[in-house]
């Protein structure tokens, strides 16, 4: 699902226009990004938690040459799914089609 498709779904669910939904989605993204930049976590109970994580500097290898290179430390966004998202597979298991019974053979007398 793309951002535009998500905006359409939000508009339908909330009974608002697509433009209003796009503004609301942009506001959510901007507010979440600003909170992560300031070191805060954004927790949506029943959905998950957005947080900022700092990766340590490390040494990597160029796959073409095999030469070692330094990868600097960097801060990235991270999402941890809440329990309802983790349990998606348990909520909707796929059922196998029932097997048809083989016809019984008539006994010979």
């Amino acid at each position: 699902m793309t951002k535009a498709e998500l905006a359409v779904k939000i508009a339908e669910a909330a009974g608002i226009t697509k433009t209003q939904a796009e503004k609301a989605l942009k506001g959510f993204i901007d507010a979440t990004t600003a909170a992560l930049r300031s070191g805060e976590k954004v927790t949506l109970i029943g959905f998950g938690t957005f947080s900022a994580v700092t990766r340590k500097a490390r040494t990597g290898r160029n796959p073409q040459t095999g030469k070692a290179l330094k990868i600097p430390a960097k801060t990235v966004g991270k999402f941890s799914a809440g329990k309802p998202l983790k349990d998606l597979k348990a909520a909707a298991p796929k059922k196998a089609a029932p097997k048809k019974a083989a016809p019984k053979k008539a006994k010979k007398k």
Side-chain angles (χ1 to χ4, degrees):
M1 178 181 292
T2 65
K3 187 176 173 182
E5 292 169 340
L6 180 58
V8 170
K9 295 281 187 185
I10 291 170
E12 290 172 359
I16 58 177
T17 66
K18 183 181 167 191
T19 305
Q20 290 171 328
E22 287 171 349
K23 285 181 182 178
L25 183 57
K26 183 180 181 329
F28 169 76
I29 292 169
D30 291 345
T32 302
T33 303
L36 294 178
R37 281 198 175 118
S38 67
E40 297 177 58
K41 287 185 179 180
V42 178
T43 302
L44 304 172
I45 296 174
F47 184 68
T49 302
F50 296 92
S51 59
V53 178
T54 303
R55 293 184 183 165
K56 295 179 182 178
R58 59 191 174 94
T59 303
R61 296 223 175 263
N62 181 333
Q64 289 183 332
T65 63
K67 193 175 187 179
L69 45 104
K70 292 181 183 177
I71 301 172
K74 107 190 230 188
T75 302
V76 296
K78 176 183 170 189
F79 178 76
S80 299
K83 186 167 175 26
L85 283 182
K86 288 180 183 177
D87 293 341
L88 284 178
K89 289 191 179 191
K94 290 186 178 180
K95 293 183 180 179
K99 293 182 180 180
K100 293 183 181 179
K104 294 183 180 180
K105 293 183 182 180
K107 292 184 180 180
K108 293 183 183 179
K109 289 186 179 182

